[in-house]
Amino acid sequence: QGENLLYCFEVAPAQPALTQVTQCRTEGSTRGLAAVPRLALDVMACEVLRVLQLTDTALVPVSYLVPRKSTQEFHEDLFPDCAGTLPATGAQAWWAGDSQQVGRVSLHPARRSTETFSSPVIACTQLQAADASSTDADADRSGSGYSSPSSLASPGSTATSLSASTGPSSGFASSPSQKSLQSILGPSSRFRHTQGRVLHRDTHLTNLRGLSLTTPGECDGFCTNHQRVALPLLSAGGQIAVLELSKPGRLPDAAMPTIQNSVAVADLSWDPFDPRRLAVAGEDAKIRLWRIPEGGLRETLREPEAVLRGHTEKIYSIRFHPVASDLLVSSSYDMTVRIWELSAGREVLCLQGHTDQIFSLAWSPDGKQLATVSKDSRLRLYEPRRSPQPQQEGPGPEGGRGARLVWVCGGDYLLVSGFDSRSERRILLYRAQALPEGPLSVLGLDVAPSTLLPFYDEDTGVVFLTGKGDTRVFLYEVTPEPPYFLECNSFTSSEPHKGFVFLPKTACEVREVEFA
């Protein structure tokens, strides 16, 4: 009472005994609650529960519906027979030991029972007559084994009562006709109540000015590691700001030292094993490697540590190898994917087989395989140490507006975000070793122009999805069993974000159960 949240739990005899199914936020504070009998539910609308909420000024019905494709037929699994309205026995028969149960009736509208029961009118004279004869009746019962209400507290009757309470009619053991609420509504994620929270302003980097918002769609817009963040700037010469995360607050109005990349930035990435090395792909088909001084930039950098040449057209994606040091992969408009050995400063392999623009590429978690998705609506899987040709190909997203991919579920599956032919954003799940079979599951999200950027947390199995210019971040737990995608609470920001990246897991505050 006094709250405005209604919680719905499933109760089970096995652990976990309580499983939350959903919660409903009401407009007014609750002063009282009452459940409507099942016989009053709108079964053809798949209404499984209706609660009446008493507020200060109104009586508000709250309805719980199970979504079904068809509401033209009666769903037996949602509505097993329930207790009817006719009594099973009378008061005197019950005292005499009759334990019949109330008959069950169907909730099907065409098979509803029309029988009714009315209690007899009790007149004052009848009550007086009953009182006058009660002494004789009690005397007769005393010799017939009949137990009075006060005798129910005896030790023997208590044991009988407890054994009966654990029988099929008590709720501790489900009857065969009852269905698990979770089996009706489907499984739910362990992380469905995850809450996104903007940290205190003291942790923000503010007064960012002159940011480049024109990086290609294949680029996340900026990149970060556990020490610093790199941000492309709009000024001429492909300048890149490098900011230390250990120094939050308002940036000075004066000019700051930057990296002079000399050409516009197409993509950039930090070396996962060397927090001071930054790889930058330029629109001149070259990759430049920059080394940040210990403690951060104190003066403008103009000379890269190395320049990688080999692509013949603009580069749009670069990714470091997740296991081996000094390995980098890049994709370009020349429709090739090249693998570079940074310690030698040379290209070691050129992957073939693409016939159109490569939207995204990703190393498997173990580093053995490389997956790509391209504009020709094809997914390709490579094993670079075995062959420069794809080992597998499969159908990708239908739309040609953009796509991203990420490895999930321990590297056994691929999650791809893209568009359908009607520009609806959707995510698709593939078994990595069975790409030709097509997606296991497809989930439509919304209609928006920007490509969804997926970020996967391998520890929890949760994928975060958002796009440049969006205000909402979708969260789903990805599982290898149906239904594959379990929705979690989404996060909504007050302003559209221009970019979105995740810090390494080591930056999380584990004492506050922060996992991303």
Side-chain angles (χ1 to χ4, degrees):
Q1 292 183 346
E3 298 185 0
N4 64 344
L5 278 176
L6 299 180
Y7 298 94
C8 180
F9 287 86
E10 178 188 359
V11 183
Q15 293 295 332
L18 286 176
T19 305
Q20 185 168 347
V21 178
T22 184
Q23 66 181 29
C24 172
R25 187 178 297 274
T26 59
E27 293 184 1
S29 297
T30 300
R31 302 305 175 194
L33 282 176
V36 174
R38 290 181 63 82
L39 288 169
L41 299 179
D42 187 354
V43 296
M44 299 310 292
C46 298
E47 182 184 40
V48 295
L49 178 66
R50 189 187 310 165
V51 176
L52 295 181
Q53 179 205 22
L54 178 65
T55 67
D56 292 330
T57 59
L59 194 62
V60 182
V62 181
S63 179
Y64 290 83
L65 305 177
V66 175
R68 287 292 170 92
K69 291 183 179 180
S70 172
T71 57
Q72 304 301 316
E73 57 186 16
F74 180 74
H75 295 275
E76 299 278 356
D77 60 324
L78 293 182
F79 303 105
D81 294 350
C82 70
T85 58
L86 298 180
T89 186
Q92 293 185 0
W94 184 82
W95 284 114
D98 188 357
S99 297
Q100 294 186 62
Q101 301 298 303
V102 173
R104 306 187 76 80
V105 297
S106 173
L107 290 175
H108 195 296
R111 299 198 294 267
R112 291 284 180 94
S113 173
T114 58
E115 295 181 89
T116 59
F117 172 78
S118 297
S119 301
V121 177
I122 302 176
C124 294
T125 55
Q126 291 175 318
L127 287 173
Q128 293 171 356
D131 291 337
S133 60
S134 61
T135 305
D136 297 335
D138 288 343
D140 293 339
R141 290 166 184 159
S142 63
S144 63
Y146 178 83
S147 300
S148 67
S150 61
S151 69
L152 293 178
S154 65
S157 63
T158 301
T160 304
S161 175
L162 287 173
S163 64
S165 70
T166 57
S169 62
S170 70
F172 285 94
S174 300
S175 65
S177 63
Q178 289 177 325
K179 287 285 186 178
S180 163
L181 187 56
Q182 188 160 344
S183 70
I184 295 172
L185 298 177
S188 56
S189 171
R190 297 170 296 162
F191 309 101
R192 60 189 178 277
H193 301 305
T194 297
Q195 296 291 333
R197 177 170 59 94
V198 178
L199 297 184
H200 193 273
R201 191 173 178 84
D202 290 346
T203 65
H204 299 188
L205 286 163
T206 60
N207 199 32
L208 300 176
R209 296 188 297 178
L211 298 179
S212 174
L213 305 179
T214 59
T215 52
E218 293 78 20
C219 175
D220 293 340
F222 67 111
C223 66
T224 185
N225 58 24
H226 64 282
Q227 293 184 359
R228 49 187 61 94
V229 59
L231 299 151
L233 301 179
L234 194 59
S235 53
Q239 294 187 46
I240 302 170
V242 177
L243 309 177
E244 299 296 308
L245 294 177
S246 61
K247 301 175 182 178
R250 178 183 171 85
L251 299 178
D253 294 331
M256 298 178 60
T258 61
I259 293 175
Q260 295 280 358
N261 195 59
S262 74
V263 294
V265 175
D267 197 12
L268 66 174
S269 179
W270 290 105
D271 188 329
F273 306 111
D274 185 349
R276 294 171 52 202
R277 180 157 65 178
L278 178 69
V280 180
E283 294 187 352
D284 60 352
K286 298 175 185 176
I287 300 173
R288 292 168 174 82
L289 302 178
W290 299 90
R291 180 161 297 276
I292 310 302
E294 195 70 46
L297 282 183
R298 295 184 178 84
E299 58 183 10
T300 298
L301 290 185
R302 292 183 172 83
E303 292 297 327
E305 184 179 63
V307 180
L308 306 178
R309 298 176 175 86
H311 283 294
T312 58
E313 294 188 41
K314 174 183 172 181
I315 300 170
Y316 39 67
S317 288
I318 53 174
R319 298 288 185 272
F320 276 95
H321 197 277
V323 176
S325 63
D326 292 325
L327 278 182
L328 181 76
V329 65
S330 62
S331 59
S332 164
Y333 279 98
D334 61 16
M335 291 183 289
T336 65
V337 174
R338 300 172 190 255
I339 299 177
W340 309 83
E341 188 175 320
L342 303 186
S343 57
R346 63 184 180 89
E347 173 191 326
V348 291
L349 184 65
C350 181
L351 303 181
Q352 306 291 334
H354 294 96
T355 60
D356 209 333
Q357 178 184 352
I358 305 164
F359 284 143
S360 180
L361 73 170
W363 289 105
S364 61
D366 59 11
K368 296 178 180 179
Q369 298 173 302
L370 182 73
T372 68
V373 58
S374 53
K375 195 174 182 178
D376 57 7
S377 299
R378 302 292 293 173
L379 282 175
R380 294 174 175 86
L381 193 63
Y382 293 86
E383 294 185 38
R385 290 182 293 188
R386 177 178 294 183
S387 171
Q389 297 296 327
Q391 301 298 300
Q392 286 191 71
E393 287 193 35
E398 300 173 11
R401 297 180 53 185
R404 287 295 190 95
L405 56 79
V406 65
W407 293 79
V408 299
C409 301
D412 295 328
Y413 295 81
L414 279 167
L415 184 143
V416 182
S417 65
F419 298 85
D420 66 3
S421 56
R422 298 172 298 175
S423 297
E424 180 188 39
R425 297 198 295 190
R426 49 172 49 186
I427 52 177
L428 307 90
L429 187 68
Y430 295 81
R431 186 177 289 109
Q433 300 308 316
L435 292 186
E437 297 177 5
L440 293 171
S441 180
V442 180
L443 178 65
L445 297 183
D446 61 2
V447 177
S450 59
T451 304
L452 285 168
L453 313 178
F455 300 93
Y456 180 70
D457 178 48
E458 60 183 13
D459 297 327
T460 59
V462 173
V463 64
F464 302 76
L465 301 126
T466 190
K468 296 178 183 178
D470 288 4
T471 58
R472 183 179 181 184
V473 181
F474 297 94
L475 276 75
Y476 289 90
E477 182 184 356
V478 185
T479 66
E481 300 88 17
Y484 302 109
F485 300 115
L486 304 177
E487 187 173 6
C488 306
N489 280 341
S490 60
F491 168 73
T492 303
S493 59
S494 57
E495 297 181 3
H497 32 256
K498 312 304 181 185
F500 208 86
V501 297
F502 274 62
L503 286 166
K505 198 67 175 283
T506 52
C508 290
E509 182 57 73
V510 294
R511 289 174 296 182
E512 296 185 8
V513 202
E514 181 185 38
F515 71 95

